[in-house]
Every structure is written in structure tokens, then in C-alpha cells.
Amino acid sequence: GNAGTFTNTFNLSGFGSVQDSMALRGQNNVTLGGTVNLVSTASIDPGGTFTLSGPITGAGGLDTSGAYGDGSLHLDEATQNTYAGDTLIDAVGYGNNMNHNITIWIDNSTHNNIMPSGSSAGNLVLNGAAANIAQFDIGGSIQTINGLISTGTSTNTRVTSNPGSGTLIVGANNANAPFAGSVGTLAGSG
């Protein structure tokens, strides 16, 4: 695919086919500036650095894993995303997208509270693999989420802030959930 910014609206649902198990594969250095509507839970898998700058809406959840290699999904929205399902950062993956380092990175330290939270939102789930990392990088911003959950190899689940300090507020909507990963200001990999 070509690098650049695309402003189309995308209505996504599901995980694609067994061979190409994702609803949308994001190419390196591509930005989607239009609305991404998650009709049901859908997989958006970056190959390299892939940016969403338009709103993410809908009844579904957002699953992300590496698209045939390590990936970083950059969120660069200026207002809160409103999709209703969980956010899954999955280093284990599925189908042809297995066992890659994967990060969701808040791309701008001034874009506070863009993650969905509250009564109409799901939780943030990091699924670590035996040799690969699932990472949520708040990018120096302030983010509020419902529950924070680690699954899989929890020692390979990380919440970081690169650059510098940021704040993650956990427990919106009175959510409580098990997280056994690490939280700190490690350098991100986005």
C-alpha cells in the first residue's frame, strides 16, 4: 500500500479470513483520518506504524495484533473514542498474525482521555506472549480507562509513557480487574 492520509469512513466487523485474519491491516506510515465504526468487535492490525486520527465509534471492541510482524497502532484523536467493547492489545495473535510485539500508543501528549471509559465502554486487556510484548503507551498524556487486565504471559504486558511522565486512571465505571504486568516510564517501541 501507499503511505499517506486517507479520510474515508470504515465500517468494520470481525477478523477477516483464516489466511489474512484481520478486518483491516494498517500499512507503515499510513494515517486514517475518517471515522472508524466498529460495527462489532474487529481486528485492526498494524504492520509497522499505523495511525488513526479520526474518531473510533460503534458497538464493537477493538482488537489489535501485529500484521505479519511487530506493529504500533498510534491513536491521534483530539476527542474521546466512543466504541463500546473491550480494547485488546494481543501479542499472542491468531491465524497468520501470531507472536509479534504490539503497542497501542497515544500519539500526542495533549490528547487526554481519548480512550473509551465509563458505563458504555469496555476494559483494556493486554495479552502477553511468551516472547512478545503487549504494550499500552500513554505517550505523556492523561488517560482514564475502566478495568486494566493482563492475560497470557503477564510479565510481557506493559503500561508505559513515552515521552516522559503521564497519568493512567484505572477504575472508571467502578471497574476492577486483575493486572499483573508492569507499569512505568520505559521507552516505548512505537
Side-chain angles (χ1 to χ4, degrees), residues 92-189:
V92 174
Y94 38 84
N96 288 331
N97 301 326
M98 296 182 70
N99 298 313
H100 301 295
N101 295 313
I102 183 69
T103 301
I104 288 182
W105 193 326
I106 307 302
D107 212 25
N108 186 319
S109 63
T110 65
H111 291 179
N112 297 316
N113 293 314
I114 65 170
M115 292 298 292
S117 65
S119 62
S120 61
N123 297 309
L124 175 60
V125 181
L126 284 76
N127 187 29
N132 297 94
I133 296 167
Q135 177 173 302
F136 178 59
D137 195 311
I138 61 175
S141 68
I142 299 166
Q143 296 300 317
T144 301
I145 60 172
N146 289 345
L148 176 62
I149 302 168
S150 60
T151 60
T153 306
S154 52
T155 55
N156 281 336
T157 60
R158 298 181 182 164
V159 175
T160 59
S161 183
N162 180 26
S165 64
T167 302
L168 180 64
I169 300 166
V170 179
N173 198 38
N174 294 317
N176 90 34
F179 183 75
S182 64
V183 177
T185 57
L186 299 169
S189 63

Side-chain angles (χ1 to χ4, degrees), residues 9-132:
T9 295
F10 289 84
N11 294 301
L12 302 178
S13 181
F15 298 88
S17 68
V18 173
Q19 179 180 357
D20 204 13
S21 47
M22 63 197 83
L24 179 66
R25 177 174 28 171
Q27 296 297 103
N28 195 35
N29 297 318
V30 168
T31 298
L32 297 184
T35 298
V36 174
N37 178 31
L38 302 173
V39 177
S40 66
T41 297
S43 179
I44 298 177
D45 298 338
T49 300
F50 178 62
T51 302
L52 299 177
S53 63
I56 308 171
T57 65
L62 172 63
D63 287 7
T64 187
S65 64
Y68 303 111
D70 296 346
S72 181
L73 179 61
H74 290 229
L75 301 181
D76 194 22
E77 296 86 359
T79 59
Q80 186 175 34
N81 292 305
T82 58
Y83 58 93
D86 286 341
T87 303
L88 172 64
I89 304 171
D90 190 3
V92 174
Y94 38 84
N96 288 331
N97 301 326
M98 296 182 70
N99 298 313
H100 301 295
N101 295 313
I102 183 69
T103 301
I104 288 182
W105 193 326
I106 307 302
D107 212 25
N108 186 319
S109 63
T110 65
H111 291 179
N112 297 316
N113 293 314
I114 65 170
M115 292 298 292
S117 65
S119 62
S120 61
N123 297 309
L124 175 60
V125 181
L126 284 76
N127 187 29
N132 297 94

